[in-house]
Amino acid sequence: MADLQQQLHGERMFFGPFCLSPSERLLTRNGEPVEIGGRSFDLLVVLTEQPGRVLSKRELLKRVWSDVVVEDGSLRFHMAGLRKLLGDGTDGARYIATQVGVGYAFVAPVERHGAAIRPAPDDEARPGASSINVPARLPHLIGRERDVTFLVERVADTPLFTIVGAGGVGKTSLAIEAGHRLAGTFEGRVAFVDFSMLENPAVVPSMIAGAMGIAVQSEDPLAVILGHIRDRPFLLLLDNCEHVVEPVAGIVERIIEEAPGARVLATSREPLRVRAEHVLRLDALDYPEEPAALTPEQLLTYSAVQLFCERATAADSSLVIDEDAARLIADMCRRLGGMALPIELAAVRAATHGIAATARQLGERFSLGWSGRRTARPRQQTLQATLDWSYDLLTEKERIVLERLSVLVGPFSIDAALEVVADAEIGSDDVAAALDELAFKSLVAPDRSRRTGTYRLLEMTRAYAREKLLARREGESGAVARRHAAFFLAELEAVAEQDEDVLQDTRPLRQQLGNIRSALDWSFGRDGDLRIAVRLAAASAPVFLNLSHLIECRTWCARALAEIEEVQRGTAIELELQAALGISLMFTRGNSEAAGNALARALEIATLLDDRWNQLRLLGCLHIFHERIGEYAAAMGHAERAVQVAEAIGAPEAMGIAYSFSGISHHLAGDQKRARRELELSLRKSPPSARSRTIHYGFDHRNRSGIALARTLWLAGHADEAGRLARQIVREAAQLDHAVTHCIALIWSLSVYLWMEDYAAAEQDLAAFTECAEVNALGPYIAAAAGFRGELAIQRGQTGDALGAVEESLSRLRAARYELLTTPFSIALARGLVADSRTDEALDLVDATLARCDANGERFAVPELLRLKARIVRFTPSAEDASTLLDQALTLSREQGARAWELKAAADLAALR
């Protein structure tokens, strides 16, 4: 009993007026302690540990009297005393049922509170395991202990294990149990991916990333996944892979090749057939071949019989399983071939109509020959027959409701069920009543784990019901699909009407992705409704952006814009589609012309609609777009217009956003005095950073203001203050869980530390920047990381390979139309060329950079370029005088308020003279 007390540490169990606390060895009735003997207390603990399950006399004696040898009489004596103490049988109270010749079962409903059952020491997870993304394990996994032990021993040393078996055999439950037990081995890094909700194979990588909690902001979700797990242990549980086996196989093979610490445990009806795959073929539960030759105690040792009894007594706590019933149950398990799902369905039916009646019906509807085969197809036939049998027992209304529910993917609410199922034929009250019956009969599963009041259909039940729906009269499935799409369109549009903070919690959104995708697929399909499709794509765009499913967002928005009707052009619908398309293109495909055109069109619509907040949002996106491609004059124009729009709005948040654009533009244009004023104003007006606001605007403008101010402060001569602010802003960016914002903060903090020659801080931020860029597959930032690495080496006097690294980085950035870093990298390259005695090349590079800055309005670095040129011309035959160039640098630095550049130029001029 000590082991059980340890497992139940901190847990309390409530039944009737009683509360049982095993760790305190306390039983109370209505809050008052109850005097109970030690053996009786232990007996009660064992019974309530598995309510509804019949425990044999032998098992009870072994568990409660493990230290002495006793006879059955002692068990009967204590059981009688325990029943009397509980008031069993008084005023209809029922706690303990006797199964004649078998044993005893605790039959009252039990609620558990406090700490969950702790795993045994060898299962216990290390710190952090409690946060694993794995569904709740079953309280008691019957008949799979050997399989669980096998997986726990082998998975950690095997790149890929696939649990293969027929539908309904118990693959998912086994994988979940193994995941919980292995959590400690993988330091809590375990993620469960349920592909049964997925209908589009192209979304497999994004779905894996979502289950891992990874925000994907690039074209290649798999690269982001690999970036997160390449150098650390991680366990992926991939469930229901059979209908997406090809994309899953390709992804798993990449993970095996490139992430040596990662392990994959998959479930499928067929092997993935990739290198290094180990297969565990999951057979049916054990069942007796000749039940008549065994005693009731022997029958209960078979896992199939145990499962039937547990499910049946759970469905009806008053159900009595005597010797005759035990034999009938064992025979039904044999006929069902030990398959878990058909057994559970039969058990629930037995609880309703009796064991003998269920056995007769089972014999009428199942071929006895099916149960003995071991290949997949006959087992599918057994499952099909089980569902046929359950379906035949439903009323006509229940059948129609079940069929129509099949259009719902994953968890669904009662509201969704009513809206999708009800029509002129079946009213809402009928739907609600039928849903209760279907849940009772285990054809619809209530999701009690999250206490959300949601339901779901098991995968095989949904597929079965879907076929029945398609076979009904013409137009039936289309009408249901239309109501399904209309419901989720209304839900998404209602969310859009609320504050963007509604999108802060991504869990409810992620649960409905399957329904959103299904609705989009139907709406754009052959028999769909394009008007609904276009609205649905616009309404779902914020969800895809919020969950970082940028490729999906881009795909649906582009498809909707290609199908949009003339009456929808120039409306808020087209605005949202164009804006989302522009943002997703900019993140996934770089600063392309298509991204700029989409954002410009969205701004045009917002202006026509006099939608000032969306004007401000889109001016921000366009400001950043033109800044990134080096069109600083255009960016300045957007910033000036944003200030006008913000003043018209009059809200502090609007002013904070607009002056962020303006301050950054003036900083890049070289007016550091005005930049400082406007950036400080922006920070005063801006609300605290929030991920939902960052997603809405595409960027975190408060964060950008802060890091730009750090650069401005350094240029103004306040180096210590600049360094402190840079560190603060980088910390805040990291907390947003938004890779692009984090990278932007790190890019500009790196420039501050390199200017300060604080190489230790630069090394630290460069490592963080490199990891963030590579993990999230952000192409331009990966190229920038190599450039920063070269610049740091050059500043330390280590040219060598650094020159080639900076040159290659510049080439890649220009190819991606990312010009924001080309000036500082050109300065670094020129310095390296001078150090390498390649002064002519250095002079040509500086002249070209000065010409580009003069043409595009990027003036902040011109004083430093003039100072660098003055140093170069002293070693080359040039018509220009170094002293003149330094005088120009001094004058321009003072005009800009760039005290740091001024001091450097003055020092060089003094040395020259």
Side-chain angles (χ1 to χ4, degrees):
M1 283 302 297
D3 291 340
L4 179 60
Q5 300 287 349
Q6 183 180 9
Q7 285 182 295
L8 296 171
H9 179 74
E11 186 176 42
R12 292 180 299 166
M13 289 168 280
F14 294 85
F15 48 91
F18 295 96
C19 172
L20 178 65
S21 177
S23 62
E24 301 175 86
R25 293 193 65 79
L26 176 66
L27 176 68
T28 63
R29 180 195 288 113
N30 297 322
E32 296 295 326
V34 176
E35 291 188 11
I36 182 172
R39 297 294 186 187
S40 295
F41 185 90
D42 292 341
L43 188 61
L44 182 58
V45 169
V46 172
L47 288 168
T48 55
E49 177 191 357
Q50 299 178 62
R53 178 174 177 238
V54 179
L55 299 175
S56 67
K57 298 174 184 177
R58 183 180 305 171
E59 182 175 358
L60 288 170
L61 291 170
K62 182 179 179 182
R63 296 285 299 279
V64 179
W65 283 272
S66 58
D67 53 343
V68 295
V69 177
V70 296
E71 297 180 353
D72 288 356
S74 294
L75 175 60
R76 289 194 297 272
F77 172 79
H78 283 87
M79 192 67 72
L82 183 57
R83 279 178 163 149
K84 183 176 180 181
L85 185 147
L86 295 175
D88 196 349
T90 303
D91 297 327
R94 190 75 186 280
Y95 296 102
I96 300 171
T98 303
Q99 310 300 309
V100 179
V102 181
Y104 302 90
F106 195 85
V107 295
V110 176
E111 291 187 16
R112 300 177 184 272
H113 294 267
I117 296 178
R118 285 174 21 183
D122 58 340
D123 303 335
E124 209 157 31
R126 300 174 192 170
S130 59
S131 63
I132 63 173
N133 178 22
V134 182
R137 66 212 302 187
L138 291 174
H140 183 52
L141 188 63
I142 296 176
R144 298 300 183 196
E145 188 56 41
R146 185 167 59 181
D147 296 312
V148 173
T149 302
F150 175 79
L151 290 173
V152 169
E153 292 174 351
R154 297 286 298 276
V155 165
D157 298 320
T158 308
L160 167 64
F161 245 110
T162 305
I163 304 172
V164 175
V169 76
K171 302 184 294 293
T172 300
S173 298
L174 176 58
I176 290 172
E177 179 67 23
H180 279 281
R181 296 201 193 185
L182 285 163
T185 304
F186 292 88
E187 302 174 353
R189 300 188 188 98
V190 185
F192 179 87
V193 188
D194 181 8
F195 289 125
S196 67
M197 295 170 56
L198 185 63
E199 296 186 341
N200 182 2
V203 187
V204 166
S206 297
M207 195 166 183
I208 294 175
M212 294 172 69
I214 299 172
V216 178
Q217 296 171 335
S218 79
E219 179 78 11
D220 189 357
L222 180 54
V224 179
I225 293 169
L226 291 170
H228 277 78
I229 65 176
R230 184 170 281 115
D231 300 316
R232 66 186 65 183
F234 203 102
L235 176 60
L236 271 176
L237 306 175
L238 306 182
D239 192 40
N240 292 298
C241 297
E242 53 270 2
H243 63 300
V244 287
V245 67
E246 291 187 8
V248 168
I251 290 168
V252 168
E253 196 157 68
R254 283 280 303 280
I255 290 173
I256 291 172
E257 292 171 354
E258 299 183 35
R263 297 293 181 261
V264 178
L265 178 59
T267 75
S268 177
R269 296 184 188 181
E270 62 177 304
L272 301 186
R273 296 187 179 91
V274 300
R275 290 191 298 273
E277 182 183 28
H278 287 235
V279 174
L280 171 62
R281 296 191 178 274
L282 196 62
D283 290 325
L285 297 172
D286 290 337
Y287 57 88
E289 291 286 353
E290 297 180 10
L294 302 174
T295 66
E297 288 81 3
Q298 290 173 324
L299 293 175
L300 284 170
T301 62
Y302 287 92
S303 55
V305 178
Q306 291 172 7
L307 176 63
F308 193 111
C309 293
E310 180 172 291
R311 298 295 187 266
T313 54
D316 180 8
S317 58
S318 64
L319 187 69
V320 176
I321 302 178
D322 55 20
E323 182 172 344
D324 291 337
R327 296 193 188 282
L328 288 173
I329 289 171
D331 188 61
M332 283 190 282
C333 291
R334 180 183 64 80
R335 296 179 188 178
L336 294 170
M339 293 293 290
L341 179 62
I343 287 172
E344 293 189 8
L345 292 171
V348 172
R349 190 66 188 175
T352 306
H353 293 276
I355 295 172
T358 303
R360 287 194 300 271
Q361 294 165 357
L362 190 66
E364 294 167 1
R365 285 170 167 78
F366 280 84
S367 167
L368 297 180
W370 289 352
S371 61
R373 302 178 185 176
R374 290 291 181 261
T375 58
R377 188 172 183 83
R379 290 191 181 177
Q380 290 171 355
Q381 291 172 347
T382 300
L383 179 60
Q384 177 76 24
T386 303
L387 291 167
D388 278 337
W389 165 63
S390 299
Y391 180 85
D392 289 344
L393 296 174
L394 300 177
T395 67
E396 182 62 17
K397 285 184 178 178
E398 288 170 355
R399 292 177 187 173
I400 294 173
V401 170
L402 178 64
E403 292 166 9
R404 293 179 180 180
L405 287 174
S406 68
V407 77
L408 291 159
V409 182
F412 59 87
S413 65
I414 182 66
D415 291 338
L418 294 177
E419 290 294 326
V420 169
V421 175
D423 63 359
E425 182 181 359
I426 299 182
S428 297
D429 291 344
D430 291 333
V431 174
L435 182 60
D436 285 343
E437 283 297 312
L438 292 170
F440 180 73
K441 296 171 182 176
S442 292
L443 288 167
V444 174
D447 188 354
R448 300 184 179 92
S449 62
R450 297 185 180 89
R451 301 183 182 275
T452 55
T454 58
Y455 302 83
R456 69 181 301 159
L457 292 180
L458 294 175
E459 175 201 358
M460 60 288 298
T461 309
R462 179 174 178 267
Y464 177 90
R466 185 75 170 162
E467 288 186 4
K468 292 289 186 181
L469 177 65
L470 293 172
R472 279 200 178 262
R473 61 181 179 272
E474 187 177 354
E476 172 81 1
S477 63
V480 176
R482 179 181 297 277
R483 292 196 295 271
H484 174 267
F487 173 78
F488 284 98
L489 172 60
E491 289 285 293
L492 291 171
E493 289 182 338
V495 169
E497 293 288 330
Q498 303 175 53
D499 188 84
E500 66 267 12
D501 286 341
V502 173
L503 297 176
Q504 184 75 13
D505 185 2
T506 62
R507 288 173 298 176
L509 299 174
R510 199 177 300 281
Q511 287 182 8
Q512 295 306 325
L513 271 179
N515 282 304
I516 294 171
R517 289 164 176 153
S518 178
L520 284 164
D521 282 331
W522 174 83
S523 300
F524 280 107
R526 184 183 63 184
D527 300 321
D529 186 324
L530 289 177
R531 182 166 293 188
I532 290 178
V534 172
R535 288 175 58 194
L536 189 59
S540 62
V543 176
F544 287 121
L545 288 175
N546 198 3
L547 298 175
S548 297
H549 294 312
L550 301 180
I551 299 172
E552 276 190 274
C553 181
R554 185 190 74 204
T555 300
W556 290 119
C557 287
R559 190 166 179 181
L561 287 167
E563 302 286 357
I564 194 169
E565 295 182 349
E566 195 60 36
V567 295
Q568 293 174 314
R569 293 195 182 277
T571 66
I573 293 173
E574 188 192 355
L575 188 157
E576 191 60 50
L577 290 170
Q578 296 282 12
L581 177 63
I583 291 171
S584 56
L585 279 171
M586 188 158 50
F587 284 156
T588 59
R589 289 187 173 171
N591 308 307
S592 64
E593 185 178 354
N597 290 340
L599 294 172
R601 172 58 181 163
L603 176 60
E604 179 186 354
I605 298 170
T607 305
L608 291 171
L609 297 174
D610 197 27
D611 184 345
R612 292 193 177 98
W613 278 107
N614 264 320
Q615 288 177 47
L616 189 63
R617 169 192 171 202
L618 292 159
L619 284 166
C621 293
L622 283 164
H623 175 267
I624 293 170
F625 175 81
H626 287 287
E627 177 190 286
R628 286 163 66 128
I629 65 175
E631 294 179 354
Y632 298 100
M636 180 69 82
H638 291 310
E640 292 170 350
R641 184 176 169 188
V643 171
Q644 295 172 357
V645 172
E647 288 175 346
I649 294 173
E653 180 181 343
M655 300 298 291
I657 292 169
Y659 278 106
S660 174
F661 312 154
S662 183
I664 291 171
S665 281
H666 284 105
H667 161 66
L668 294 171
D671 189 348
Q672 305 309 327
K673 296 176 183 177
R674 182 169 177 179
R676 181 176 179 179
R677 288 196 306 271
E678 294 187 342
L679 291 169
E680 288 176 342
L681 175 62
S682 171
L683 290 175
R684 287 197 302 272
K685 298 286 187 181
S686 299
S689 295
R691 190 175 188 277
S692 59
R693 195 174 293 109
T694 302
I695 295 294
H696 176 69
Y697 288 110
F699 301 86
D700 189 271
H701 297 302
R702 176 184 174 85
N703 200 274
R704 294 183 73 243
S705 295
I707 202 63
L709 180 59
R711 283 173 40 122
T712 302
L713 287 170
W714 185 88
L715 290 170
H718 307 291
D720 291 341
E721 191 177 348
R724 285 194 299 271
L725 183 58
R727 284 188 287 273
Q728 174 192 331
I729 295 300
V730 168
R731 284 196 303 271
E732 292 176 358
Q735 293 169 358
L736 281 175
D737 190 26
H738 190 253
V740 172
T741 294
H742 194 197
C743 282
I744 290 172
L746 288 166
I747 283 174
W748 284 26
S749 72
L750 273 167
S751 64
V752 172
Y753 296 137
L754 289 169
W755 289 341
M756 293 170 62
E757 298 183 4
D758 185 347
Y759 299 141
E763 284 276 13
Q764 182 178 352
D765 273 17
L766 178 55
F769 175 66
T770 303
E771 180 181 10
C772 186
E774 291 180 348
V775 162
N776 292 283
L778 300 173
Y781 292 158
I782 294 173
F788 277 120
R789 201 171 296 110
E791 182 179 2
L792 181 58
I794 290 169
Q795 283 198 214
R796 285 174 159 167
Q798 305 163 353
T799 52
D801 297 332
L803 296 179
V806 177
E807 286 177 328
E808 182 181 354
S809 177
L810 280 167
S811 176
R812 292 171 63 188
L813 289 172
R814 284 173 178 145
R817 299 185 76 204
Y818 192 91
E819 298 288 338
L820 190 59
L821 294 173
T822 55
T823 295
F825 282 178
S826 295
I827 292 172
L829 181 58
R831 286 176 178 153
L833 291 170
V834 171
D836 219 25
S837 300
R838 297 161 61 182
T839 51
D840 290 339
E841 294 175 63
L843 184 59
D844 290 342
L845 177 58
V846 169
D847 283 337
T849 306
L850 280 167
R852 188 178 68 251
C853 288
D854 185 62
N856 65 19
E858 185 188 18
R859 304 280 294 165
F860 84 95
V862 171
E864 183 66 356
L865 282 163
L866 290 170
R867 188 177 76 88
L868 179 57
K869 183 174 181 180
R871 299 182 67 183
I872 297 171
V873 298
R874 295 168 58 189
F875 305 103
T876 59
S878 173
E880 294 186 88
D881 178 63
S883 179
T884 302
L885 290 168
L886 289 172
D887 281 333
Q888 293 174 1
L890 268 173
T891 301
L892 187 56
S893 297
R894 289 166 182 158
E895 290 175 359
Q896 292 187 356
R899 179 70 172 163
W901 294 152
E902 180 186 348
L903 291 173
K904 287 176 177 286
D908 281 10
L909 188 60
L912 179 65
R913 290 175 176 171

